[in-house]
Amino acid sequence: MRLYSVFVWVTLSALAALLQSQVPTIPATAGETLSGKKIVLSDALRGHAAVLVAGFSHDGGMGCGDWMKAIRADPSLAGVDVYEVAMLEGAPGLFRGMIKSAMRKGMSSEEQQRSVVLTQDDKLWQAYFAVSNPQEPQVMLLDAQGNVVWRGHGAANALEPQLRNAVSSH
């Protein structure tokens, strides 16, 4: 009986480790905010619920702007930490400065502090967001433990009400 109990415990432990390894964790990629501050998003989010809005292409990035406007305009989302993430690994280095400058236009200093530019680990971030179409903005709601509570991709006008409902239920 004792040997059977040990066998069951080892099997369950191995299964739990396997399941945990299949759930992607937020990459610990160093980046920079549009205000020029160095940031590791996984550290900044630790212990806080937050919404991440990410763009993995020019079109996806343009859609992120619409998401950010929709979130800022919704009073029920006013207390939620929101970070915009721009993946620029695929953009030639020569153009990255121009892209960041264009992104800063019309943004307040507070918005610039919550806009993160990443230039590496694109594949890790795509896996984390479960990107099926990089031409669409990717959005996820994380709880304070870093668990994904809600995710969506596409236009803000269609999905922002779903995000609002997910925030209000958590």
Side-chain angles (χ1 to χ4, degrees):
M1 183 68 173
R2 186 167 207 235
L3 182 60
Y4 178 75
S5 297
V6 169
F7 174 76
V8 169
W9 182 82
V10 169
T11 302
L12 290 175
S13 296
L15 181 59
L18 176 65
L19 289 173
Q20 187 175 22
S21 70
Q22 292 177 347
V23 176
T25 57
I26 188 166
T29 306
E32 185 176 21
T33 66
L34 286 179
S35 62
K37 179 183 170 192
K38 302 293 182 200
I39 186 171
V40 176
L41 204 48
S42 60
D43 293 341
L45 295 175
R46 191 167 292 124
H48 304 282
V51 173
L52 301 179
V53 180
F56 291 88
S57 67
H58 177 266
D59 290 340
M62 297 303 286
C64 288
D66 294 338
W67 266 100
M68 298 304 287
K69 287 176 190 169
I71 291 170
R72 283 192 291 271
D74 189 333
S76 65
L77 299 175
V80 179
D81 283 344
V82 180
Y83 287 87
E84 183 176 1
V85 181
M87 292 301 307
L88 299 184
E89 182 175 359
L94 177 66
F95 296 112
R96 289 178 184 170
M98 291 186 294
I99 294 168
K100 290 192 284 189
S101 178
M103 288 174 67
R104 275 188 212 97
K105 261 191 183 152
M107 270 191 189
S108 69
S109 60
E110 183 180 326
E111 292 167 340
Q112 290 180 25
Q113 291 173 22
R114 297 293 180 144
S115 296
V116 179
V117 175
L118 301 175
T119 58
Q120 59 188 15
D121 296 339
D122 184 72
K123 297 274 189 247
L124 287 174
W125 283 94
Q126 284 196 37
Y128 180 66
F129 274 91
V131 175
S132 60
N133 182 355
Q135 303 306 313
E136 297 178 321
Q138 309 293 315
V139 183
M140 70 170 47
L141 171 63
L142 303 172
D143 66 15
Q145 291 74 41
N147 300 309
V148 177
V149 175
W150 179 88
R151 72 174 70 229
H153 58 91
N157 61 355
L159 296 174
E160 191 269 339
Q162 292 178 20
L163 173 62
R164 180 183 332 116
N165 290 338
V167 167
S168 67
S169 67
H170 284 89

